[in-house]
């Protein structure tokens, strides 16, 4: 096992707060990784600005310029390979990856989701939690498979749902946990401590 920095490629569509959390964790030495490239399907995504400020290459690829999802994902994958990416991190990436992309990076794609999976996959997980009246919501970091938020779970954190919660207040508290969990999951991967066995992810002890 080693804690040598691994090369990350981040896919993002939005404001990039999880991307910034990864940058911050790397900067203080908690996450042995290096972000080589950030790719977005949205030209005006603030995540690209986070990348530029960090001195990381920021790439916009327009899905409308490709005949289908597979062709677009192939182009994204080519950019990642060009930069020697070892682990792909989805950070607010609003596109479902094609099966071909998942196969190309099998067991090398992570995502963070604002729910305690398998509950409330897909969009608006916090709203789903409130509508269902659950007492606990949370955040999940998982490996990505061909489904939507169905891959093996790496880490989870529970967040109590308060009586006066709105979607915005609950989302903010869950986001704090996302910012904590995601760099930790990347660190475990970088240290070679994650082992996927079926639907389980085993976390090995430090040697």
């Amino acid at each position: 096992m080693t804690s040598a920095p691994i090369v990350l490629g981040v896919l993002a569509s939005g404001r990039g707060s999880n991307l910034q959390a990864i940058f911050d964790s790397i900067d203080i030495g908690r996450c042995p990784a290096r972000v080589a490239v950030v790719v977005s399907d949205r030209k005006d995504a603030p995540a690209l600005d986070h990348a530029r400020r960090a001195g990381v290459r920021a790439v916009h690829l327009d899905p409308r310029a490709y005949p289908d999802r597979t062709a677009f994902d192939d182009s994204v994958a080519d950019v990642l390979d060009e930069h020697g990416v070892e682990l792909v991190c989805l950070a607010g990436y609003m596109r479902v990856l094609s099966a071909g992309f998942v196969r190309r990076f099998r067991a090398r794609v992570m995502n963070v989701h604002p729910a305690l999976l398998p509950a409330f996959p897909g969009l608006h997980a916090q709203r789903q939690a409130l509508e269902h009246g659950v007492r606990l919501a949370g955040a999940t970091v998982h490996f990505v498979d061909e489904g939507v938020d169905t891959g093996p779970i790496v880490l989870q954190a529970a967040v109590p749902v308060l009586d006066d919660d709105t979607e915005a207040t609950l989302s903010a508290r869950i986001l704090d946990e996302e910012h904590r969990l995601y760099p930790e999951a990347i660190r475990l991967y970088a240290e070679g401590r994650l082992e996927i066995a079926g639907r389980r992810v085993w976390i090995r002890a430090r040697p």
Side-chain angles (χ1 to χ4, degrees):
M1 297 183 192
T2 177
S3 58
I6 61 166
V7 181
L8 306 180
V10 179
L11 307 186
S13 298
R15 58 189 174 182
S17 69
N18 272 303
L19 169 61
Q20 188 59 52
I22 293 169
F23 282 140
D24 292 344
S25 186
I26 291 172
D27 288 344
I28 63 175
R30 287 185 180 173
C31 186
R34 174 178 65 85
V35 180
V37 63
V38 175
V39 182
S40 181
D41 58 328
R42 296 182 179 178
K43 185 177 182 179
D44 58 351
L48 294 176
D49 294 328
H50 284 291
R52 295 183 186 107
R53 284 194 294 270
V56 171
R57 187 181 177 199
V59 176
H60 166 245
L61 296 177
D62 188 349
R64 296 170 297 183
Y66 297 84
D68 53 36
R69 183 178 61 154
T70 297
F72 175 77
D73 280 1
D74 285 346
S75 184
V76 173
D78 288 343
V79 171
L80 297 173
D81 281 342
E82 174 190 340
H83 288 80
V85 167
E86 298 171 90
L87 178 66
V88 182
C89 296
L90 310 186
Y93 192 57
M94 301 308 293
R95 296 179 61 85
V96 177
L97 297 173
S98 62
F101 185 99
V102 174
R103 286 193 298 269
R104 188 164 169 176
F105 294 94
R106 175 70 65 187
R108 294 196 293 134
V109 184
M110 274 187 185
N111 184 42
V112 62
H113 183 72
L116 290 175
L117 294 173
F120 312 130
L123 297 175
H124 309 300
Q126 305 93 324
R127 185 186 307 169
Q128 294 182 61
L130 290 171
E131 289 174 347
H132 280 76
V134 298
R135 298 296 184 185
L136 288 175
T140 301
V141 178
H142 64 97
F143 285 106
V144 175
D145 62 10
E146 288 84 350
V148 177
D149 300 322
T150 56
I153 291 168
V154 180
L155 295 173
Q156 291 185 301
V159 174
V161 179
L162 306 180
D163 290 342
D164 60 350
D165 260 334
T166 64
E167 186 176 355
T169 60
L170 180 58
S171 296
R173 293 204 315 283
I174 291 174
L175 192 60
D176 287 339
E177 291 300 318
E178 293 181 42
H179 293 169
R180 181 180 66 84
L181 286 183
Y182 213 175
E184 173 68 7
I186 294 168
R187 180 181 68 82
L188 292 170
Y189 184 95
E191 293 175 348
R193 294 173 57 194
L194 299 180
E195 179 181 349
I196 303 175
R199 292 211 49 78
R200 294 290 300 273
V201 177
W202 297 100
I203 301 176
R204 300 191 186 103
R206 285 182 177 273

